[in-house]
Amino acid sequence: MPQSPSTSSRPPARSPLRDIVVADLDLDLDPGGGATVLTLTPAPGGPALRAGPVYALVRLRGRPVATVLTTVPDGADPRDVLTAAFLAQSGEHGPHRPAPSTAGAGTASPPTAGPPRTTVVVATRERADRLGRALDSLLAQDHPDFRVVVVDNAPVTPATRELVATGYAGRVTYLREPVPGLATAHNRGVAAADSPVVAFTDDDVVADPHWLSALTAPFAEDPRTGCVTGLILPARLTTPAQVLLESHGGFAKGFDPRLYDPAAPPVGEPLFPFTAGSFGSGANMAFRASALRAVGGFDPATGTGTPAKGGDDLYAFVRVLTAGHRLRYAPDALVWHHHRETWQDLRNQAYGYGAGLTAYLTAVVCRHPALLPALLAKLPRGLAHARAITAHRQGPGENGTGAPGAHGAQAHPWPRALSRLERRGMLYGPLGYARARWGRR
């Protein structure tokens, strides 16, 4: 039976993967086609700006619109270099502006109120050193009405409880969930939520101050919205594994808002709604609490910490959509993610993604057999699609987050060893899910 990789391995030989500074650039467009720099800062928790390669988020008056990768020469002003790179990348079409949604149909009602009251759930396990950084960013949100809940999943030490008690008493709610598994921890948070919306993020992110407002506003604007996901960008690119992952797309889903409506399936996505990986990621998602509870929450036999190894977020996305709710992608809802740092981390991640993909599909079929005919009808194309996405990775320029080929995908091809691990994970996923369900019984 396939097993998750556990022994260390070195990355295959290729040109060096350089340490890249991550920056946050905010611009205002000039009438003559130029741009004025409003602010330029390092990404939260990242190294200071310096000469050398720089990967920058570009905002237009605070709104994320693109990323650029360029090299700042010694003695040059990074503001000038990055601005010129963005304008050149925009080319003859002018600076990139968020486009109307093309995924699905439907219109939202004009907003009548501010973002709804929200509970933010952070599931964690033995990472108190990272959790504090995430909590600080969450407590600095500009959302008018929210609370933060930390779910300590199967803790071995009291470090997380002590962190919350000593550093965040009265500001963060602490809950202990003894049963291991990310989905179980998330369900514990949902049970404790007393708000119309429940949002989820991870302990290895730093949330932009406007993150929660942007992530939850669509629920007030459209009563059919059941789920919203947001933009995830790297906080650091200081190790070869981090650079390789981000050079092939990372977790970003682009800068154009998108609407997925089961009543009007998106054109060009024949596998919808079983292409859950394109909807977003669990580090940046929110649900209408009533919709999530109505579909039974997260499947506790999925997710990190179970034999299934993942798929809890994908399962929830598909269940909310198949129940008739809309899912929206809101690129203004930004979190900075601290990618895994080592080559072995990346190997484990590749295997886990493959396992989680087929585990969540198995969960959908086991728990909701009525969806099986639709899944079987799409299965041949689905298998071909799965093989294609593991054979190579898209660079950010190919998925809408930067200039074509500019972010390293050509210089650093996705290793075949990682593609093989992901396919092995796909073969293991159904068995992992079965083991997880049997173990819970």
Side-chain angles (χ1 to χ4, degrees):
M1 133 176 92
Q3 297 294 324
S4 176
S6 58
T7 58
S8 62
S9 176
R10 294 182 179 179
R14 60 168 63 84
S15 57
L17 292 165
R18 300 180 62 187
D19 182 357
I20 299 173
V21 172
V22 181
D24 188 347
L25 174 67
D26 195 8
L27 300 174
D28 190 12
L29 296 182
D30 299 333
T36 300
V37 175
L38 301 178
T39 60
L40 174 61
T41 59
L49 291 168
R50 61 175 184 265
V54 178
Y55 173 94
L57 165 68
V58 180
R59 307 178 192 245
L60 295 183
R61 299 192 65 84
R63 188 174 188 183
V65 296
T67 58
V68 296
L69 176 66
T70 191
T71 298
V72 177
D74 289 332
D77 188 333
R79 295 174 298 179
D80 296 338
V81 175
L82 291 169
T83 301
F86 169 66
L87 294 176
Q89 178 174 293
S90 301
E92 61 184 11
H93 302 292
H96 177 91
R97 298 175 186 271
S101 170
T102 57
T107 58
S109 303
T112 57
R117 184 165 51 91
T118 301
T119 301
V120 181
V121 176
V122 185
T124 186
R125 187 174 191 270
E126 302 302 330
R127 299 208 295 189
D129 54 334
R130 303 185 183 188
L131 177 62
R133 178 180 59 201
L135 293 179
D136 290 341
S137 72
L138 294 175
L139 294 174
Q141 293 296 300
D142 63 10
H143 190 287
D145 189 5
F146 70 98
R147 72 178 182 120
V148 178
V149 174
V150 168
V151 181
D152 196 2
N153 189 211
V156 177
T157 72
T160 299
R161 176 177 56 81
E162 292 173 354
L163 172 71
V164 174
T166 58
Y168 302 94
R171 298 185 295 163
V172 174
T173 300
Y174 173 86
L175 299 174
R176 182 179 183 274
E177 172 51 62
V179 178
L182 185 57
T184 299
H186 281 168
N187 284 337
R188 180 74 171 91
V190 174
D194 58 356
S195 55
V197 173
V198 57
F200 301 87
T201 191
D202 291 346
D203 57 12
D204 55 2
V205 310
V206 175
D208 191 72
H210 188 59
W211 166 69
L212 192 59
S213 294
L215 189 68
T216 57
F219 294 103
E221 298 167 4
D222 179 7
R224 285 192 56 199
T225 296
C227 178
V228 181
T229 62
L231 176 64
I232 303 174
L233 291 179
R236 299 173 66 93
L237 293 173
T238 55
T239 73
Q242 291 173 334
V243 174
L244 180 63
L245 176 63
E246 194 60 33
S247 72
H248 289 270
F251 298 96
K253 306 300 179 186
F255 291 90
D256 293 331
R258 295 193 297 275
L259 167 65
Y260 296 96
D261 188 346
V267 177
E269 293 194 24
L271 302 178
F272 178 85
F274 301 109
T275 50
S278 65
F279 302 150
S281 300
N284 192 352
M285 62 183 181
F287 294 85
R288 195 177 299 277
S290 58
L292 184 58
R293 290 182 177 124
V295 299
F298 298 89
D299 186 332
T302 60
T304 304
T306 71
K309 301 188 179 298
D312 54 307
D313 50 352
L314 308 183
Y315 174 86
F317 296 156
V318 170
R319 284 297 296 124
V320 167
L321 282 165
T322 55
H325 303 281
R326 291 170 170 168
L327 186 151
R328 293 181 180 271
Y329 172 68
D332 290 0
L334 166 67
V335 299
W336 300 90
H337 183 263
H338 286 262
H339 294 350
R340 301 181 187 186
E341 298 181 354
T342 70
W343 175 248
Q344 184 58 41
D345 288 337
L346 199 54
R347 285 169 53 85
N348 293 340
Q349 194 170 31
Y351 186 89
Y353 282 168
L357 174 63
T358 52
Y360 107 78
L361 291 172
T362 305
V364 167
V365 171
C366 289
R367 291 188 174 273
H368 309 282
L371 295 175
L372 180 59
L375 179 59
L376 289 176
K378 301 171 187 285
L379 189 59
R381 296 189 68 177
L383 291 175
H385 176 71
R387 182 173 180 81
I389 64 174
T390 59
H392 68 281
R393 292 288 177 182
Q394 288 182 324
E398 296 171 288
N399 65 21
T401 63
H407 288 23
Q410 294 178 347
H412 308 293
W414 190 252
R416 292 183 179 179
L418 293 182
S419 296
R420 288 194 295 268
L421 278 172
E422 196 164 358
R423 288 194 289 268
R424 282 176 54 195
M426 290 179 181
L427 293 175
Y428 166 79
L431 178 59
Y433 178 73
R435 290 176 57 196
R437 285 198 67 175
W438 181 260
R440 292 191 63 83
R441 291 179 61 187

